[in-house]
Amino acid sequence: VADSNYLYVAEGGNGTQGGRVRRFELTDVNASATLIAGLHWPAAIALDSTDLYVADLGRGYDGTIQRVQNASLATPGARKVLATGQHFPNSLTIPPASSVASSTVFFRTEEDGETSLRTVSKFGGKVGVFAGLASNVHPHLVTDNNHLYVLATPLDSRGFWGTSFSSGAPGVNVLGFPLDGQPAELVTRFSSDANPRGLALKNDQLFISFPAGVKKVDVSAPSG
């Protein structure tokens, strides 16, 4: 991820506490600083207007969500652990400052092949369950002012989180979860695509990368 001055990169670890997050100057990539060291396996990083957030897999059962305050200052602020004891936290996202959920970190955990979407305050505290366990939800999360977006591959007719979005046929569902806790909305479905590689959001446009190319979806007004 990047801001106007720096590129932030998660590196290595492999469960040995050799992982770290480094910051590189955009005008001189040879100028770098280590913001966090001693991570087991940093799986995802995200930025808000001032701070950097990291999901560290840990050893699988003891993953953490961490924050570095004022990550873009010449002397970054303190490192704070927001959540501990998380199972494979491998993706996270921060809503924009204008969102009703701007003080919340949303992250994905995985246990025995099933996914849970969880929340924790940017200031730490109790971890909440935003959406319960489901199968085959890909490790890509993004948020806008009102929704958390995920990619889910249908497995059977039971659907996801009490919905009926799953048909049993191959494909990928794009789901939007209202940040106020309302039921998930089916944004769109790609019936002939599988194995999404990435998800990004820019100006009300979702971009989903597949092995065969990139698809774009307008999410200015998701509908169920």
Side-chain angles (χ1 to χ4, degrees):
V1 296
D3 58 22
S4 58
N5 297 308
Y6 297 102
L7 172 69
Y8 302 86
V9 178
E11 298 180 336
N14 298 322
T16 62
Q17 289 189 291
R20 59 182 178 174
V21 177
R22 297 174 70 193
R23 184 184 75 181
F24 295 85
E25 294 185 15
L26 294 179
T27 55
D28 181 6
V29 294
N30 293 314
S32 67
T34 297
L35 299 181
I36 298 182
L39 299 173
H40 284 280
W41 202 319
I45 56 179
L47 290 168
D48 64 13
S49 58
T50 58
D51 300 345
L52 175 81
Y53 301 83
V54 184
D56 182 21
L57 293 180
R59 290 164 291 185
Y61 57 86
D62 61 353
T64 61
I65 305 297
Q66 304 188 33
R67 181 186 73 180
V68 176
Q69 296 175 291
N70 301 314
S72 64
L73 294 185
T75 302
R79 166 183 177 175
K80 180 176 177 63
V81 177
L82 306 181
T84 61
Q86 302 304 302
H87 285 260
F88 291 101
N90 53 17
S91 185
L92 79 168
T93 183
I94 314 294
S98 53
S99 169
V100 295
S102 62
S103 63
T104 302
V105 180
F106 292 83
F107 62 99
R108 175 191 186 274
T109 61
E110 186 173 337
E111 185 175 1
D112 296 328
E114 296 196 309
T115 296
S116 182
L117 303 179
R118 297 177 178 266
T119 61
V120 68
S121 167
K122 289 181 176 181
F123 309 102
K126 184 178 180 180
V127 172
V129 177
F130 181 70
L133 293 174
S135 297
N136 222 26
V137 178
H138 296 273
H140 313 294
L141 307 177
V142 294
T143 45
D144 59 17
N145 281 333
N146 301 304
H147 291 82
L148 167 68
Y149 298 98
V150 304
L151 304 175
T153 301
L155 293 180
D156 53 40
S157 59
R158 292 172 300 175
F160 299 91
W161 295 290
T163 69
S164 58
F165 301 147
S166 181
S167 66
V172 173
N173 292 326
V174 181
L175 306 182
F177 286 83
L179 297 181
D180 61 5
Q182 295 300 307
E185 303 165 349
L186 177 62
V187 178
T188 193
R189 185 170 192 276
F190 298 106
S191 59
S192 60
D193 293 287
N195 301 318
R197 302 296 176 85
L199 179 65
L201 178 69
K202 181 71 172 178
N203 298 331
D204 291 328
Q205 303 292 315
L206 270 180
F207 298 88
I208 305 104
S209 64
F210 295 96
V214 176
K215 301 291 182 71
K216 183 173 70 172
V217 180
D218 187 341
V219 293
S220 56
S223 58

